[in-house]
Amino acid sequence: MIQYKKTNWTNEEISFLKDNYKKYTYQELSEILNRSRNAIQHKISRLGFSKSQYSNQKKKLNDSFFHNINSEEKAYWLGFISADGTINNYHSGQYGFKLSLKASDDSFLKMFLKSISGKFDIVYKQIKLNNKIYKICEVSFCSKEFVTDLLQYISYNKTQNISMPHINQKFVRDYIRGFIDGDGCFYINKKNSKKKSFEMIAYNEKILLDIQQEFSNNNIVSKIYTLKNENKKLGVYANKSLIRLHHYLYDDATIFMERKYEKSLNILKLAA
């Protein structure tokens, strides 16, 4: 159990909170200041401020972007958000959305903003997790229509309840490519290039079984394992299946994460 500070707040801590309470989430402030979420909420309130988990200033975007999943672009981003996004419609009655990536992936986040016609800037910040500082980039906003449409396909608790959404079959591979860009990993052993694979880990086996079935329909052999922490792992290891996986994901595709495409392409060259 984490042992948070219970001492009086220092002037430095109060000054930091005043300057940064809108910039960081409660969880991030808790990590930085080593104080409990409740303590931070109470102090913010005592200082006369109010805070949302999400940016509540109305921002310009295409709120109806996910109303109908009828294109490669929409299916791809639905998959990516299913793996890596955060949605919420119960925190203080807000319909919040947030997408955070490591700072070096900011060009990818700009692609997302372009897709949803977002007319606002990416936020750059540092977060402290497990005593390490990470630089991230993030977009967040509140939109009842945007979030309600997303909830047709994914739930609040994506970790435990996620499964393949009911969308047009011709867009399923685009959804899977987005999901893989959010949660999948192409791997080549640095010491032995013969050892290469694609792997993806999830808490809920259902989404992995759905993806495995789609892979099987396209002659891509995969296996699902149970890890020591009870998480599930889907893996593709055979050369022929890795080649088929690359073509399944990327042939004629127009939207993908460049660095994962490059890794898959390197595997394709080694496996051929």
Side-chain angles (χ1 to χ4, degrees):
M1 181 180 294
I2 299 174
Q3 296 296 317
Y4 294 112
K5 288 182 185 177
K6 295 184 179 180
T7 56
N8 291 334
W9 286 72
T10 66
N11 290 334
E12 289 79 10
E13 287 177 316
I14 293 173
S15 177
F16 177 87
L17 198 59
K18 287 179 178 179
D19 292 339
N20 295 280
Y21 77 97
K22 287 185 177 180
K23 183 177 180 182
Y24 296 103
T25 66
Y26 284 119
Q27 179 61 39
E28 291 163 356
L29 289 169
S30 178
E31 291 276 353
I32 293 168
L33 296 170
N34 192 28
R35 291 187 180 273
S36 70
R37 180 189 176 104
N38 286 340
I40 291 170
Q41 287 177 307
H42 181 69
K43 178 56 71 173
I44 289 174
S45 178
R46 288 290 299 273
L47 291 171
F49 302 132
S50 61
K51 173 176 174 55
S52 164
Q53 181 180 353
Y54 300 89
S55 172
N56 54 22
Q57 180 181 0
K58 179 56 182 172
K59 296 177 177 178
K60 293 183 179 180
L61 66 139
N62 178 6
D63 297 277
S64 63
F65 181 76
F66 286 113
H67 188 66
N68 185 17
I69 307 301
N70 56 4
S71 69
E72 172 194 357
E73 183 180 34
K74 293 178 181 180
Y76 174 86
W77 286 120
L78 178 63
F80 191 87
I81 290 168
S82 296
D84 239 13
T86 300
I87 57 173
N88 175 325
N89 82 339
Y90 57 84
H91 186 80
S92 301
Q94 297 176 73
Y95 289 78
F97 172 84
K98 181 167 63 176
L99 187 59
S100 302
L101 301 173
K102 62 182 183 179
S104 58
D105 282 333
D106 61 346
S107 61
F108 187 73
L109 208 51
K110 290 174 183 177
M111 285 173 54
F112 173 69
L113 284 180
K114 183 177 180 180
S115 291
I116 66 170
S117 302
K119 306 300 182 183
F120 50 92
D121 294 330
I122 296 169
V123 174
Y124 295 86
K125 57 187 180 182
Q126 294 182 341
I127 61 172
K128 185 178 181 181
L129 295 173
N130 300 321
N131 294 318
K132 292 184 178 180
I133 301 295
Y134 298 92
K135 294 181 179 181
I136 68 168
C137 56
E138 179 180 288
V139 296
S140 67
F141 53 84
C142 293
S143 169
K144 183 176 181 179
E145 184 176 4
F146 191 92
V147 169
T148 301
D149 284 342
L150 274 177
L151 290 173
Q152 296 180 81
Y153 307 102
I154 55 181
S155 66
Y156 310 120
N157 191 346
K158 299 186 289 83
T159 301
Q160 296 187 2
N161 299 325
I162 191 166
S163 60
M164 189 80 74
H166 297 293
I167 60 176
N168 190 309
Q169 179 61 36
K170 70 178 180 178
F171 300 126
V172 166
R173 78 168 186 134
D174 305 310
Y175 171 89
I176 290 177
R177 187 171 64 256
F179 196 92
I180 285 174
D181 277 354
D183 263 355
C185 179
F186 293 95
Y187 173 76
I188 301 173
N189 188 297
K190 292 181 180 180
K191 295 182 178 180
N192 183 357
S193 61
K194 291 183 178 181
K195 295 181 179 180
K196 49 198 175 296
S197 63
F198 163 78
E199 293 180 334
M200 182 163 55
I201 295 175
Y203 177 84
N204 185 348
E205 188 176 25
K206 181 65 170 65
I207 185 63
L208 298 185
L209 288 170
D210 291 342
I211 292 174
Q212 184 181 52
Q213 182 60 57
E214 178 66 12
F215 282 0
S216 179
N217 293 342
N218 289 273
N219 297 315
I220 300 167
V221 177
S222 63
K223 296 181 180 180
I224 295 178
Y225 305 88
T226 299
L227 305 178
K228 290 182 179 180
N229 60 4
E230 299 303 316
N231 284 344
K232 311 299 180 182
K233 179 173 72 174
L234 179 148
V236 178
Y237 304 101
N239 283 345
K240 288 184 179 179
S241 289
L242 287 167
I243 292 171
R244 289 173 185 147
L245 176 60
H246 179 88
H247 290 298
Y248 169 78
L249 292 175
Y250 297 112
D251 282 0
D252 300 319
T254 63
I255 182 170
F256 46 82
M257 185 175 280
E258 188 68 28
R259 62 181 173 85
K260 292 198 177 180
Y261 166 78
E262 291 295 336
K263 288 182 179 180
S264 179
L265 184 61
N266 288 336
I267 288 176
L268 175 67
K269 293 174 181 177
L270 291 169

